[in-house]
Structure formats: structure tokens, C-alpha cells
Amino acid sequence: MAACQLSTKGDNPEECPVCLTGFDDLVQRPRTLPCGHTVCTLCSDKLKEQGRVTCPECRVTHAVPEGGQFPVCYTIEALIRRLRDGKAAEASPPPSAGKGKGAAGSAGKKGAAGLSKKMRSFLQEQEATVVAAITACQEAQSQLDQYEATLTGWVERQQQLEDSLQGLMDQSRSSRELLQQERFRVAPKRKEAKKKEQELQTVREKLRTRATEQEALKVLATVFHLTGEVEQVLEECQQCFPDAGILTTARKVREASSAALEAAQAVQAALETVSIEEPRPQSVPEEPRPQSDPEEPRPQSDPEEPRPQSDPEEPSSQSDPDLTIMEKVQFILEPSLKAEDFRSLTERTRSLLQAGRVFAVHQVEGQRRHARISLEAGRPCLHALADHPPPLGASTLQVSQVVPPSPPCTVFLDLSWPGRAPRRVHIRLSPDTQRGRQFLMLCTGQRGPSYRGTRLYEVGWKGTPGECVWGGDYESNDGKGKCVLLPGLEEGGEDRPWRAGDVWGEGRQGVFAITTRDDQGDVLRCCFFGEVVEGLHVVAEAAQHSDIKEVTVVDCGVVL
């Protein structure tokens, strides 16, 4: 690779930042790399090495697209053309001195003579719109080229695994067919984007050569219609690619095939060293075939061609305009978190938590729900389960992998009322109580209902020793609901004075009380099942609010 020395003075938009030579329309056209930086054609050719180019500005390496050239940056060409035209206009002599200067200038003036100043300005604006649409088409083609190349590589790798391991041939063949189908879907869409680019190039030339108002209006109608079609094509590219189900199934089948092949090779190596009298090892068990989720959205396909099923626990293929196709591919192919990675808070896990891309999955009676996991004060917190799906690219794991089956553990309630932002109350649940187990379930929503959205409904002994607040009635929010998920809530009572921070209940009803003031007087029998360890002042302020029924549990969950 020829060395190209960057200059710190490469801030002129008319010059290549590598060779500091002005861009032109023939040899040194501006070429845009996928990272967004632009170099001239000659420098991009010099930077090529084994089919890849390293950006001289940000050092990101890119694969050379099909055809051997990165797309021309028409936006920069248009900008340079405008700058040069402006300089030429400033330095041009009076009209009388321009005779015989050249056919190009005369033709340009003649072509614009029949247009009003307003129309010429409007045509220039529309040309900028067309240039932007052309650039978008080229970017879509580049993304589809990379995506198609990735799919091709997967097809070849899958074929190799089929040849190496006959035991997984059926699953591997299904995966390869999926990838082929996806690859075949890419090709016509890429051709369609290319066709739209050519049509835009044609209409761009017409915008430059119209000489009458009538011709200009006709061209403008074509521009409006064509740019609308281009927007539709680009939107379809974002919505249809990639197919999360196909890539997820392909990834898991490839992982299963590779693991089985390694195991088979290990067994074969062991067989070569053991005595023939020793019992033969059992064969490698076949991996289960991935099942599908009937609720997972899929792009439309030929109804006559049945497609293998996809994995139910991976993110659906939803459009995200902020991600390129290859970025979405990367998110989809990245494996889900493992429980041990999560508990040890690896660097990858921490970064995913900070980005809000970790969710826990829980399924009850055929309904799948998801719980967001956040990182707050260095501690992962699982929030109450909700019905909405996680975003595209989210890493998932099962609720049972991270939430303890029963106390002791720490849960939280976020309290808010008019004029007050939500503030958190941490409660440490004691072991071996039914009320503690139910409280944990209602903080996570594992049985369906949760404390999220409920209100406190009563203050007992307000302003006196033993003051407490009552809440947890997810049925009626007034203390009249039963709110019972588990039997035996009345068991485990204790006779002792109340202390500030006690979390307790009594009788068969499933609501809870939090004591905000000590009471060393009367000794009452209650089921104490937890203690406020952080945020007791929040509960005490709520008890002094003018209307306790305005205090809402806006969120809840468990500290992991």
C-alpha cells in the first residue's frame, strides 16, 4: 500500500485531505467512504490493500464494494461547482467583453434566458434534493452490497459445516436455504435502487437544460413523483433488511454445528487412544431444531415456499432509521448475555446496561413479557415486567437467571406525587416469609400484577408515634382489595414494638404498611417481612402530603 501523508491543513472542502489536490469531475472525483470521510479517486486506489481500504482520517477499515470503487460524493461535487461558479461570477467581465469566450458559457446563458430568477432558484433547490436522493441511493446500494457479501460468506461457511458433520445436515441445509432466500431478496432491491439512481441522474440533467417555464414545470412534476418513489424504495430497504429471524436461526444453527463438530472431533481423538476393550463413547446428541414464535413479525414472502422456523427469543426485525443495515446485522448476530457474564458485570455487560439494551424475558400462560435492566449507582436493577417488546438489538436473558426465587433480596419502589419527581425507596426483604415472597413477585410482576401504577391509600396514626403508610392494593387502590397471590400470608407474626422503616402486614389481606416513626409503647402482633434501607425520608414526606392517595408507585423492581 502506497503511503499517503495527511496534512493538518486539509480543511478545504475543494481539496482531497490526503494529497491536498483539488477535486475534479474526471480523474480526482470525490469518493465517500462508509465512515463519512471523503478522498479523491486516485488516493482511494492507492489506499487499497487486499480488497480493503483504511480511512486516512479515522483509521476505520472498509471493504471495497463490488465494482472496485466507493460511491462518488455528488454533494461535494455540487458544492465545489457552486463555489467555482460564484468565484467566476465575481471575476467575470461585463457582457460586452465576453464575446467569443467559449460555447459553454454562451450556451448556459442562453439556456437560462427564458427562466425567471425565482424559477432558477427553485430549480437549484430541487437539484440539491435530487443530489441528496442520489447519495441516499448510493448509500443504500453500499449497505446492500456489504449485506449481500456477508450473506454469501455465511452460505459458504454453512456449506462447509454440512460437509463436515452429517448429523446436523438437515438443520444446516434449512439455515442455508434461509440465507439464500434472504440473499435473493437483496438482489432485486439493490437493482431497484440502482434504477432509481439512474432515473434521478436523468432528471437532474433535465433540470439543468430547461429553457421555458412550461418545460420547467413539467420537469418539476417528474422530480416530485420520482423523489417520492425513491423515498418509498429507501424505506422498504430499511424495513425489510435484515430479517432478524433468518439471521438468528442461521447463527444458532452455525453455533450448534460448530460445537457438535468439535465434540465429534474430540470423541474421535479419544477413540484413537483408548483400548478396544473399553466401552465406546456415546455419539454426540443432535441439537434440537429451533422453534418459532407465532407472534414474531416476518417480512412477506412467497406463500408457496415454506420457510424454516426462527428462534422466538431474539429481537424482531423492526426498522430503525438510526442504524445502517450492517449495524442491525451486528446487533442481531451478537449473542445474548449469559447469566455468569451478567453477575460478574463484564465490561461488555456494563456497556450494554448503560446503553439500555439489556432485557429479561418471562413467559406465563403463553404470554411473553420483558423487563428492562438498568445500571444505577453501579448496581443492576430489574424493573417490573411490561408487555412492550425490547428494542432491536437488545440482549436478553431469562428472568429466572437473574431474579432470586425468594428473599433475602433488595427491592425498590419509586414514589412520586404532584410537584415531586420520582424518588427511590430500597427495601431489604427478610427470608422465609410468604409476605416477603409475594412482595418480591409484585415488584417484578412475575405473576402478572405488579405495584407499578398503584397508589398509597391511607396514613395510620399520622403525626404520632407509630405513624405508617398503607399501600399495595393493586386491585382497587383503596385497601378493600384482597391482593393475594400466595396462601399463608397470616403466618409468621411477631410481637414487638414498631420501628421506623419496618415493612409489615397483618391478617389474610396482601397489602403492606411501612412505619415512618418509632413506637416503643404498644406491642402489636404483625408479620414483619422487610426493612427500608434507603429512602425512608421519602416515605415520611409522602405521609405528610395533603392527600396520600396522590402518592403513586411509578416504578418498582429488584436490585440484582
Side-chain angles (χ1 to χ4, degrees):
M1 181 182 68
C4 292
Q5 183 67 28
L6 277 177
S7 171
T8 58
K9 298 181 180 179
D11 56 355
N12 188 344
E14 300 181 59
E15 295 179 348
C16 172
V18 178
C19 63
L20 300 182
T21 303
F23 294 118
D24 59 34
D25 297 334
L26 298 174
V27 179
Q28 292 182 286
R29 304 187 72 180
R31 300 279 179 179
T32 299
L33 305 180
C35 60
H37 294 113
T38 304
V39 297
C40 70
T41 303
L42 294 179
C43 289
S44 68
D45 291 338
K46 292 178 181 179
L47 292 169
K48 291 179 185 176
E49 182 178 4
Q50 297 182 351
R52 304 187 70 84
V53 166
T54 299
C55 174
E57 297 205 37
C58 65
R59 311 307 300 169
V60 175
T61 301
H62 310 287
V64 177
E66 185 178 352
Q69 288 290 355
F70 292 97
V72 174
C73 184
Y74 294 98
T75 303
I76 290 184
E77 284 195 341
L79 173 62
I80 295 173
R81 194 175 295 111
R82 287 191 179 185
L83 292 174
R84 291 175 179 171
D85 291 346
K87 293 178 181 178
E90 292 177 0
S92 62
S96 60
K99 295 180 179 180
K101 286 293 182 181
S106 300
K109 293 179 180 179
K110 182 179 179 180
L115 300 178
S116 65
K117 182 177 180 180
K118 183 176 181 180
M119 178 56 72
R120 288 198 300 272
S121 176
F122 189 56
L123 289 175
Q124 291 176 352
E125 293 177 359
Q126 295 308 307
E127 181 181 359
T129 302
V130 172
V131 169
I134 290 173
T135 302
C137 281
Q138 293 172 339
E139 175 63 23
Q141 292 175 65
S142 177
Q143 291 186 35
L144 293 174
D145 284 341
Q146 295 180 59
Y147 184 43
E148 186 178 22
T150 301
L151 293 171
T152 302
W154 275 55
V155 171
E156 294 174 355
R157 174 59 179 161
Q158 213 65 56
Q159 183 65 59
Q160 293 174 3
L161 291 175
E162 289 179 10
D163 295 339
S164 302
L165 188 62
Q166 294 297 321
L168 290 179
M169 181 62 75
D170 291 340
Q171 294 183 30
S172 183
R173 184 180 293 110
S174 297
S175 174
R176 178 165 50 85
E177 290 172 356
L178 276 175
L179 292 168
Q180 290 281 20
Q181 292 174 23
E182 181 76 340
R183 181 186 176 190
F184 294 153
R185 286 200 314 129
V186 171
K189 187 59 64 177
R190 178 167 51 82
K191 292 180 181 178
E192 185 177 4
K194 180 64 177 178
K195 179 181 178 183
K196 292 302 177 186
E197 180 197 357
Q198 295 172 347
E199 293 176 359
L200 287 167
Q201 295 283 16
T202 301
V203 79
R204 181 189 179 191
E205 293 299 323
K206 292 182 179 179
L207 284 171
R208 295 177 172 180
T209 58
R210 299 305 93 190
T212 66
E213 294 279 346
Q214 184 176 4
E215 291 176 343
L217 291 173
K218 185 176 180 180
V219 174
L220 288 175
T222 303
V223 169
F224 295 147
H225 176 72
L226 185 55
T227 53
E229 292 181 342
V230 169
E231 291 177 358
Q232 178 66 26
V233 171
L234 298 178
E235 182 179 359
E236 290 173 358
C237 287
Q238 282 290 334
Q239 291 179 344
C240 294
F241 302 104
D243 187 313
I246 289 178
L247 296 187
T248 297
T249 301
R251 189 200 83 207
K252 292 205 168 186
V253 170
R254 187 181 70 171
E255 292 174 349
S257 300
S258 298
L261 178 59
E262 292 175 0
Q265 291 173 341
V267 170
Q268 183 63 35
L271 286 174
E272 293 175 356
T273 58
V274 298
S275 171
I276 58 173
E277 289 82 12
E278 294 180 356
R280 294 176 59 87
Q282 296 182 354
S283 60
V284 178
E286 182 176 351
E287 295 286 340
R289 187 180 300 272
Q291 299 300 318
S292 67
D293 181 358
E295 297 180 358
E296 181 177 3
R298 301 177 60 87
Q300 297 296 323
S301 60
D302 188 349
E304 296 181 0
E305 297 182 8
R307 305 174 69 176
Q309 306 297 336
S310 60
D311 190 276
E313 295 184 6
E314 297 295 328
S316 59
S317 181
Q318 301 173 354
S319 176
D320 187 343
D322 295 331
L323 298 175
T324 66
I325 291 176
M326 292 309 297
E327 286 174 337
K328 290 193 287 185
V329 168
Q330 182 179 1
F331 276 128
I332 294 169
L333 299 185
E334 189 167 323
S336 298
L337 288 174
K338 298 179 180 179
E340 51 268 26
D341 294 336
F342 183 80
R343 286 191 292 267
S344 60
L345 273 186
T346 63
E347 182 177 352
R348 171 176 173 262
T349 304
R350 187 179 296 274
S351 63
L352 289 172
L353 288 169
Q354 292 172 341
R357 291 192 169 275
V358 181
F359 285 77
V361 183
H362 186 67
Q363 184 165 332
V364 176
E365 298 179 354
Q367 181 183 14
R368 179 176 289 106
R369 306 171 74 203
H370 299 83
R372 179 173 62 92
I373 302 179
S374 62
L375 187 64
E376 301 175 28
R379 296 183 295 183
C381 297
L382 180 139
H383 300 253
L385 289 157
D387 295 331
H388 55 77
L392 179 70
S395 294
T396 60
L397 64 167
Q398 295 295 319
V399 168
S400 58
Q401 292 180 277
V402 291
V403 175
S406 62
C409 60
T410 300
V411 296
F412 65 86
L413 305 175
D414 289 347
L415 302 183
S416 179
W417 57 90
R420 267 296 188 180
R423 288 180 294 170
R424 183 154 296 183
V425 178
H426 286 96
I427 299 172
R428 182 68 179 175
L429 298 179
S430 306
D432 301 329
T433 65
Q434 286 292 82
R435 287 188 180 273
R437 295 186 182 93
Q438 174 168 289
F439 199 92
L440 173 60
M441 291 178 181
L442 288 169
C443 283
T444 61
Q446 290 173 266
R447 289 288 186 91
S450 75
Y451 287 138
R452 178 189 289 164
T454 64
R455 299 190 300 271
L456 304 184
Y457 61 85
E458 184 180 350
V459 180
W461 300 280
K462 186 172 183 178
T464 65
E467 177 186 76
C468 62
V469 298
W470 286 90
D473 186 355
Y474 59 82
E475 294 179 348
S476 58
N477 275 317
D478 58 6
K480 297 180 181 179
K482 293 183 179 179
C483 307
V484 176
L485 297 180
L486 299 176
L489 297 182
E490 71 280 6
E491 299 175 0
E494 181 180 357
D495 295 323
R496 67 168 176 81
W498 291 341
R499 295 189 294 264
D502 283 339
V503 183
W504 52 278
E506 59 182 357
R508 297 178 181 273
Q509 198 176 27
V511 297
F512 66 86
I514 300 178
T515 303
T516 57
R517 297 192 182 193
D518 292 338
D519 184 3
Q520 299 299 329
D522 297 337
V523 175
L524 300 177
R525 186 170 185 81
C526 303
C527 180
F528 299 94
F529 61 88
E531 178 185 6
V532 176
V533 292
E534 292 182 36
L536 181 59
H537 65 285
V538 177
V539 186
E541 288 183 30
Q544 302 306 315
H545 184 61
S546 58
D547 185 359
I548 190 63
K549 294 183 179 180
E550 291 182 341
V551 180
T552 303
V553 180
V554 295
D555 199 3
C556 55
V558 57
V559 179
L560 304 177

